Amino acid sequence: MTGIDSGYCAANREEVEQIQLERLQAVLHRVYRNVEYYRESFRGRAVFPDDVVSLDMIRRLPTTGRATLVANHPYGMFAVPLREVIRLQSTSPVASEAIVVGFTRNDIDHWTELAARSLLSAGVSRDDLVHICIDYGLFPGALGLHYGAEKIGASVIPGSNMAPDAEFEMMRNYHTTVLVTTPQRAVRLANYIRSHHIHAKALMLRACLLVGQYWSESVRSKIEESMDCPVYDCYGHSEVVASGIAAECKKRNGLHINEDHFFAEIVDLTTGDTLAPGQKGELVITTLTKEAFPLIRYRTGDITRLDYQTCECGCCFARMDRVSKRTDDMVFIGGVNIFPSQVERIICDVIGARAPAPIFQLIVEGNEASESVEVAIEVSEAIFSDKLRVLREIEEKIRGELFDMLGVAAKVRLVEPGNLRMEPAGRGRVVDRREVNGG
Amino acid sequence: MLRIQNLKSYYGRLQALRGISLHVGKGEIVTLIGANGAGKSTILNTVAGLVSQSEGKILLDGKDIRGLPAEKIVKRGVALVPEGRQLFAPMTVADNLALGAYLRHRNGSKAELEQDAEMVFGLFPVLKERRKQLAGTLSGGEQQMLAIGRALMSRPCLLLLDEPSMGLAPKMADEIFRTIVRLKQQGVTILLVEQNARMALEVAEQGYVIETGQVVVQGPSADLLRNHDVERAYLGKGYEKVWE
Ligand SMILES: Nc1ncnc2c1ncn2[C@@H]1O[C@H](COP(=O)(O)OP(=O)(O)O)[C@@H](O)[C@H]1O
Ligand SMILES: [Mg+2]
Ligand SMILES: [Zn+2]
Ligand SMILES: [Zn+2]
């Protein structure tokens, strides 16, 4: 009735795999013809689209990393001329790491459909009033969900940057039945509801969808308790589609991947080898239908595992575990994704350090209402024994650069060598103690 | 119903298909579009058993029919209406139809044959009027009807149609497309090759764009109608690069 195609998920694996093979072969031919980077990288490995005669054979193709997208910015990875692109979305606030993703008319329509599926699987219908409490500018996934909710025929209230009390009042007065938001804002709202001793039934929520970043099961129970509605996870990726790649159904035993549009693999973090179903590793996605910005074996940086058993709900699409970790230390701060490598570069620029890389920690605490970020940096004895004024100047300079370049208001603290507890291989550069991460 | 994987076909040393995968669901119309020489007819002809050199899988209801002789494939319920109709011009309409039935069952009863012919005449009344006429004297549209009618005489479940609107006046082409829809309503599954991409996509559920023996786009017809590659190449829209 809603005209939203469930995309073969009610069929059987054989049919899903036939569709995937057909679409995979077609997209490989398109990128080989239209994207020089892919043509060269396939040739470099002496594999050609014709060699991919089964889904397994995709392993012979090279994976694509974020760095490749940065290197080919702005339009090097586009598979159609710019005039056929109807939307451009920049996914990084930092000029030196910019990536721009393009969408054709069909790409937008597909995204809309995928977002609609995510909402439908959480039980959203045309009778719902969907409140999207997300800053559309910061998180492009919001736009997809907005279109998806409209496609279902629900009433949609677009996002804004309201304080929790205003948000709460609006939801209560307008009888919002579905809340779509980020985990941080949901936690903030839950805290407001708790601290004001508001009864959970004060809102008429039937479902809450959390998008955009990672959150713990303890966040789920906290929100469910204070808002008296089930909370669903919805997965997207800014370089693929920022919402609607996968979503939880009512059974909430993994997120259904929309396999008619995406081919998913799990690879070993270090070797890059494809792992057997059920093993944990990095999620690698190949887009099967995207026209403007197709991605072949894109390394998402998200760690999960896949389950190919048909879900109790009847859907035969593979399910992924909720993402709990990333391969790199990317963090979301104030809705912006920050890589420690970006922070490292700024530190190097300011203190002029060459290799070895400076030792530092990015410590994030609190919740969205009061998020605090501290950057602790180990400096050499020589610098540390300098005049206090010099130290303060360096701190101030780094602080300013962090704000200008990354948009992060951080406290900067220089410490003596050996003061930061680091794990090998640069791990532990991010210490996330925020509530949403269950820390 | 039909599921093709990695089909490669050769004419001597020329490789006309370079690994085609496609499927047609029961009761669906699926269309293949693409420029001349892309390999569309080769796909249909290979399915019908008329191309001797091929590799890959052609699964009809799960059984691989690739490499079977053409008459065995007809017996499995697959009928081809070839490009350019290929009727027997010096034979009558009725005899052409009888020939179509003969391909299915050499010893079918006369009553069965009459029954099937009546079914074809029901679909194309004009053929009934002209049943005694020689096929070569029919108009282009009537010849196409006869070609389809002849294929239907073998009571196919899968009909392969190669450019049925070719060379027809627009009104006649419309008539042929209406027939295609009617056949689908009667439960016939159809794989349709067409130059007239727009009309084909309007009647089909799914489509494939073929370029130099490969599938470059696959999807629901509605998507293909809005795909710029399709528009550019086959719906006659202009195109030039805008960046660089
Ligand atoms: N009988 C044949 N012998 C040799 N080459 C052929 C034969 N039929 C087709 N070809 C070649 O195979 C390729 C695909 O042709 P075809 O399937 O007829 O394309 P389409 O139907 O899409 O126009 C073309 O290069 C064509 O010249
Ligand atoms: Mg042809
Ligand atoms: Zn399910
Ligand atoms: Zn499903």
Side-chain angles (χ1 to χ4, degrees):
Chain A
M1 187 190 70
T2 51
I4 290 143
D5 178 10
S6 64
Y8 307 88
C9 82
N12 55 48
R13 288 304 302 173
E14 211 182 331
E15 288 176 70
V16 171
E17 284 166 14
Q18 172 79 24
I19 272 286
Q20 287 193 310
L21 180 66
E22 292 175 10
R23 292 184 173 172
L24 174 63
Q25 291 177 339
V27 72
L28 292 177
H29 292 313
R30 290 202 300 277
V31 298
Y32 191 78
R33 284 160 198 239
N34 301 328
V35 183
E36 194 186 333
Y37 168 78
Y38 285 119
R39 191 164 47 242
E40 295 302 320
S41 79
F42 293 178
R43 279 185 184 154
R45 284 237 187 155
V47 281
F48 299 92
D50 285 358
D51 298 332
V52 180
V53 296
S54 67
L55 293 171
D56 284 345
M57 295 291 250
I58 197 174
R59 299 172 190 189
R60 297 183 51 191
L61 299 172
T63 58
T64 307
R66 201 185 135 77
T68 297
L69 307 189
V70 172
N72 288 282
H73 174 264
Y75 300 135
M77 302 299 281
F78 280 38
V80 301
L82 198 50
R83 67 175 334 195
E84 295 171 5
V85 168
I86 65 164
R87 189 188 296 169
L88 289 166
Q89 242 152 26
S90 179
T91 74
S92 171
V94 191
S96 63
E97 305 232 343
I99 294 171
V100 65
V101 181
F103 298 86
T104 64
R105 169 90 264 156
N106 273 335
D107 290 336
I108 294 293
D109 288 351
H110 288 150
W111 185 7
T112 300
E113 179 157 315
L114 296 174
R117 280 188 205 168
S118 301
L119 292 158
L120 283 176
S121 63
V124 178
S125 77
R126 53 171 316 203
D127 299 327
D128 279 304
L129 195 152
V130 180
H131 195 149
I132 303 182
C133 290
I134 307 175
D135 185 328
Y136 283 37
L138 281 179
F139 178 63
L143 211 49
L145 289 157
H146 179 116
Y147 277 43
E150 284 187 352
K151 176 150 185 171
I152 291 173
S155 315
V156 186
I157 303 180
S160 62
N161 248 334
M162 280 183 288
D165 53 341
E167 207 168 80
F168 175 82
E169 284 308 323
M170 195 162 161
M171 287 168 62
R172 182 163 63 182
N173 292 339
Y174 294 176
H175 300 184
T176 298
T177 57
V178 176
L179 173 64
V180 178
T181 190
T182 61
Q184 291 180 344
R185 286 183 70 161
V187 166
R188 195 179 62 165
L189 192 62
N191 286 343
Y192 172 83
I193 290 172
R194 271 190 187 178
S195 61
H196 288 74
H197 307 291
I198 297 163
H199 196 276
K201 298 255 190 287
L203 293 176
M204 302 176 71
L205 288 177
R206 298 201 308 118
C208 171
L209 273 83
L210 298 188
V211 296
Q213 53 191 281
Y214 321 110
W215 44 284
S216 62
E217 283 298 327
S218 69
V219 164
R220 187 184 326 245
S221 37
K222 176 173 180 172
I223 297 168
E224 292 191 338
E225 202 179 297
S226 60
M227 300 192 205
D228 192 36
C229 73
V231 173
Y232 297 92
D233 196 357
C234 176
Y235 174 76
H237 193 286
S238 46
E239 281 94 50
V240 186
V241 283
S243 52
I245 294 175
E248 282 179 319
C249 71
K250 292 203 157 175
K251 304 285 176 197
R252 292 188 291 174
N253 48 12
L255 287 77
H256 296 263
I257 300 175
N258 284 306
E259 286 192 283
D260 52 337
H261 292 266
F262 307 104
F263 180 73
E265 298 168 83
I266 297 293
V267 303
D268 184 275
L269 261 50
T270 43
T271 64
D273 292 341
T274 308
L275 298 177
Q279 285 192 272
K280 212 169 182 138
E282 180 174 357
L283 178 67
V284 169
I285 287 183
T286 298
T287 64
L288 298 176
T289 54
K290 281 182 90 186
E291 295 177 347
F293 198 80
L295 290 169
I296 306 302
R297 303 198 78 208
Y298 187 63
R299 295 190 66 150
T300 61
D302 292 321
I303 295 172
T304 183
R305 77 183 154 188
L306 302 178
D307 182 351
Y308 286 91
Q309 294 207 11
T310 298
C311 178
E312 285 171 61
C313 75
C315 175
C316 79
F317 282 164
R319 280 167 291 144
M320 59 184 252
D321 275 5
R322 296 192 50 226
V323 174
S324 53
K325 264 217 313 263
R326 284 191 54 87
T327 54
D328 48 42
D329 291 340
M330 188 187 84
V331 275
F332 281 88
I333 299 171
V336 179
N337 50 348
I338 305 289
F339 290 90
S341 59
Q342 297 168 333
V343 176
E344 178 175 337
R345 200 159 316 136
I346 288 172
I347 296 170
C348 288
D349 284 351
V350 174
I351 57 181
R354 301 278 176 277
I359 293 172
F360 68 95
Q361 267 181 354
L362 199 61
I363 303 147
V364 197
E365 286 175 307
N367 57 45
E368 195 187 269
S370 60
E371 204 170 59
S372 71
V373 186
E374 184 184 75
V375 179
I377 309 159
E378 284 188 6
V379 290
S380 65
E381 301 277 8
I383 294 186
F384 200 77
S385 56
D386 245 325
K387 292 206 176 62
L388 202 60
R389 188 178 53 81
V390 179
L391 293 185
R392 291 292 161 270
E393 266 173 28
I394 294 173
E395 285 173 357
E396 184 52 33
K397 195 137 189 243
I398 293 175
R399 204 193 62 78
E401 291 283 300
L402 286 170
F403 188 76
D404 291 347
M405 305 289 291
L406 306 178
V408 177
K411 210 173 116 196
V412 175
R413 188 162 54 94
L414 300 182
V415 299
E416 273 183 281
N419 266 14
L420 297 178
R421 226 185 40 163
M422 301 291 286
E423 291 164 47
R427 297 247 154 237
R429 293 201 294 185
V430 173
V431 180
D432 200 339
R433 301 200 186 109
R434 284 174 298 186
E435 215 171 328
V436 269
N437 291 298
Chain B
M1 133 157 277
L2 178 70
R3 183 177 300 172
I4 297 178
Q5 287 172 349
N6 304 306
L7 184 62
K8 296 180 181 170
S9 295
Y10 306 83
Y11 297 109
R13 278 167 46 209
L14 175 92
Q15 183 175 6
L17 301 183
R18 303 199 292 159
I20 297 277
S21 300
L22 63 86
H23 75 283
V24 186
K26 199 165 175 51
E28 274 185 339
I29 301 179
V30 171
T31 188
L32 308 179
I33 56 182
N36 253 325
K40 306 180 297 297
S41 298
T42 304
I43 296 174
L44 298 194
N45 292 339
T46 310
V47 172
L50 301 174
V51 176
S52 55
Q53 276 176 280
S54 63
E55 291 165 27
K57 280 187 188 158
I58 304 177
L59 303 173
L60 185 70
D61 294 323
K63 288 195 199 75
D64 200 345
I65 58 164
R66 193 189 55 82
L68 292 184
E71 63 274 14
K72 285 238 169 82
I73 293 174
V74 174
K75 285 206 176 114
R76 301 259 179 123
V78 180
L80 170 71
V81 181
E83 192 173 324
R85 290 133 210 170
Q86 301 180 19
L87 297 166
F88 295 93
M91 283 167 62
T92 63
V93 167
D95 287 345
N96 266 284
L97 289 179
L99 209 66
Y102 176 78
L103 283 175
R104 178 169 56 112
H105 36 185
R106 285 158 207 246
N107 42 14
S109 74
K110 205 163 162 22
E112 264 181 355
L113 196 144
E114 304 247 287
Q115 199 186 328
D116 289 349
E118 279 311 315
M119 177 269 296
V120 172
F121 294 147
L123 206 57
F124 304 113
V126 65
L127 294 183
K128 187 166 195 173
E129 290 166 29
R130 306 194 195 286
R131 62 194 304 173
K132 297 266 171 325
Q133 227 169 290
L134 297 184
T137 65
L138 300 180
S139 73
E142 289 162 355
Q143 287 192 7
Q144 187 60 56
M145 291 175 185
L146 178 55
I148 295 174
R150 184 182 56 181
L152 292 176
M153 291 298 284
S154 70
R155 296 191 193 167
C157 31
L158 174 64
L159 191 60
L160 310 171
L161 287 173
D162 199 347
E163 305 211 21
S165 78
M166 189 165 66
L168 301 184
K171 238 175 126 182
M172 206 58 226
D174 282 353
E175 177 64 33
I176 295 297
F177 275 100
R178 273 197 294 277
T179 307
I180 293 171
V181 173
R182 223 176 310 147
L183 287 172
K184 173 201 153 88
Q185 286 160 355
Q186 291 174 8
V188 183
T189 304
I190 297 167
L191 182 55
L192 168 68
V193 165
E194 258 297 334
Q195 278 290 307
N196 191 334
R198 187 177 297 281
M199 284 182 92
L201 290 170
E202 268 156 22
V203 299
E205 278 95 353
Q206 304 276 332
Y208 295 80
V209 180
I210 316 291
E211 271 179 38
T212 56
Q214 297 171 324
V215 174
V216 291
V217 184
Q218 182 275 13
S221 299
D223 289 5
L224 263 56
L225 278 166
R226 276 188 317 240
N227 178 286
H228 293 272
D229 288 322
V230 178
E231 279 188 14
R232 193 158 61 224
Y234 318 114
L235 302 176
K237 290 215 177 157
Y239 162 66
E240 73 265 9
K241 276 204 167 172
V242 291
W243 87 82
E244 286 159 1

